[in-house]
Amino acid sequence: MIDFYFNAKDKNLNNNHSLIHTTATASHYDNDAPNYDAFNEQASAKINALIEQILHKNQVQTVLDMTCGTGSQVFWLTARGFEVVGSDISTSMLAIAHRKAQHTSRDLQLIEGDMRTLKVGTFDAVLTIFNAIGHLTKDDFEQAMRNIHSNLKDGGLYIFDINNLSYLLHNRNITSLTIDWLETNQNKKCRYIQYSTINQDGILASYTTAIEDCDSSDPLIKQSMQTLQVYSAEQLKDMLERNGFAILEQCGIERGTFDKITTERIVTVAKKLA
């Protein structure tokens, strides 16, 4: 058994207000790709079901998932009759999606691309799910919005989610993001421990220790830190309106009424204006 102790005097923790967030590069996702599904696929079911409901409600047929990763939304929606194209900036994530696609009977289109610049066509809806926009700076997110606008039909939907800044700044709600996951796969055990901090500018810093323990070798321990840019509902509204969208709906993963303080993760449905 391995015990881990995080030092409360860590300079990044005490000086979190001075953190600088930069847009993640494609290589940022390489280390997470092999274990991504093990830790995230089960948790994706709720938001996938919610997206499906939203798409049916709005009579959507064609979907572009601009941050498809290993394909969670692509495979879920394709299996339910939607015409879906998946794209992602990470070749490592796409390689896993391509391998998974070999086990399906459907002809799936999975392409490499950056949500800020990729031009694929015009769709009924565009998705960027699982805090994907948080990996961008504010300026790059607005660039992505304008590009997403160009990949949508008139009246098309942009659907995305992001942690709620107002919730995370309230009381000690930031501790709700603390995780300690253990996944066992044949002879390998993977443990994933993470705690987070946040500042008033909405920069969320997450500190992670990943342990891979195989029966035949000493544990492999990796430590990392990443930042995300998170937003309040009001900030999202202002940014979307500046870039040609009107919000149709904001809710939580459970599709309940959105509450500024108690909703942990904001799901936003925005409509492209002509």
Side-chain angles (χ1 to χ4, degrees):
M1 181 177 179
I2 304 172
D3 292 320
F4 294 90
Y5 301 92
F6 296 106
N7 186 354
K9 295 182 180 179
D10 184 282
K11 65 179 180 180
N12 289 317
L13 181 58
N14 279 346
N15 296 300
N16 200 40
H17 62 278
S18 63
L19 281 172
I20 298 174
H21 174 63
T22 58
T23 292
T25 61
S27 62
H28 169 84
Y29 308 94
D30 291 347
N31 288 335
D32 291 339
N35 296 318
Y36 186 83
D37 282 349
F39 290 116
N40 293 285
E41 193 61 23
Q42 186 174 357
S44 296
K46 283 186 179 180
I47 194 163
N48 291 350
L50 173 57
I51 293 167
E52 180 187 353
Q53 292 174 20
I54 293 169
L55 297 181
H56 279 306
K57 176 184 175 181
N58 290 278
Q59 299 180 317
V60 166
Q61 295 181 321
T62 60
V63 180
L64 172 60
D65 184 350
M66 278 191 143
T67 54
C68 72
T70 60
S72 181
Q73 284 75 51
V74 172
F75 294 115
W76 180 286
L77 295 174
T78 299
R80 287 154 177 81
F82 295 94
E83 182 181 337
V84 187
V85 173
S87 69
D88 200 272
I89 195 172
S90 168
T91 55
S92 298
M93 292 285 195
L94 283 174
I96 295 172
H98 278 293
R99 287 199 296 271
K100 290 160 65 175
Q102 293 173 1
H103 300 288
T104 71
S105 59
R106 298 179 183 271
D107 184 20
L108 298 177
Q109 186 177 2
L110 298 166
I111 55 180
E112 183 180 352
D114 187 321
M115 71 175 110
R116 294 169 292 181
T117 56
L118 180 69
K119 299 290 191 294
V120 183
T122 52
F123 295 78
D124 296 330
V126 170
L127 310 177
T128 58
I129 300 301
F130 202 52
N131 286 323
I133 62 164
H135 292 277
L136 303 175
T137 62
K138 290 181 179 180
D139 287 343
D140 280 349
F141 180 30
E142 295 211 43
Q143 180 184 347
M145 285 183 187
R146 294 188 290 273
N147 187 53
I148 287 164
H149 193 278
S150 69
N151 281 276
L152 282 170
K153 297 177 182 178
D154 287 346
L157 303 183
Y158 174 33
I159 304 169
F160 64 96
D161 70 321
I162 191 69
N163 288 113
N164 178 7
L165 175 59
S166 299
Y167 169 84
L168 293 176
L169 289 176
H170 184 67
N171 290 337
R172 292 179 54 81
N173 286 342
I174 187 64
T175 60
S176 67
L177 300 184
T178 302
I179 60 175
D180 187 347
W181 291 339
L182 178 65
E183 181 72 20
T184 302
N185 184 11
Q186 296 179 350
N187 69 327
K188 183 172 75 172
K189 294 180 181 178
C190 298
R191 188 178 178 189
Y192 191 75
I193 304 166
Q194 186 179 90
Y195 77 97
S196 300
T197 64
I198 194 164
N199 66 19
Q200 293 293 326
D201 295 325
I203 298 177
L204 174 70
S206 297
Y207 303 84
T208 304
T209 300
I211 311 105
E212 294 185 7
D213 188 1
C214 298
D215 292 341
S216 59
S217 63
D218 292 332
L220 175 63
I221 301 173
K222 299 178 182 178
Q223 293 183 308
S224 62
M225 187 273 276
Q226 74 166 9
T227 57
L228 289 177
Q229 180 66 59
V230 302
Y231 300 90
S232 68
E234 294 85 355
Q235 289 173 328
L236 293 174
K237 181 177 183 294
D238 290 343
M239 295 172 76
L240 286 161
E241 288 178 351
R242 281 200 301 271
N243 292 284
F245 290 94
I247 290 181
L248 297 182
E249 178 182 3
Q250 286 183 310
C251 63
I253 301 300
E254 305 292 343
R255 195 67 187 274
T257 301
F258 174 78
D259 183 85
K260 176 179 178 179
I261 298 301
T262 63
T263 300
E264 180 176 342
R265 200 158 128 212
I266 308 171
V267 178
T268 298
V269 183
K271 178 180 179 179
K272 173 183 175 177
L273 301 177

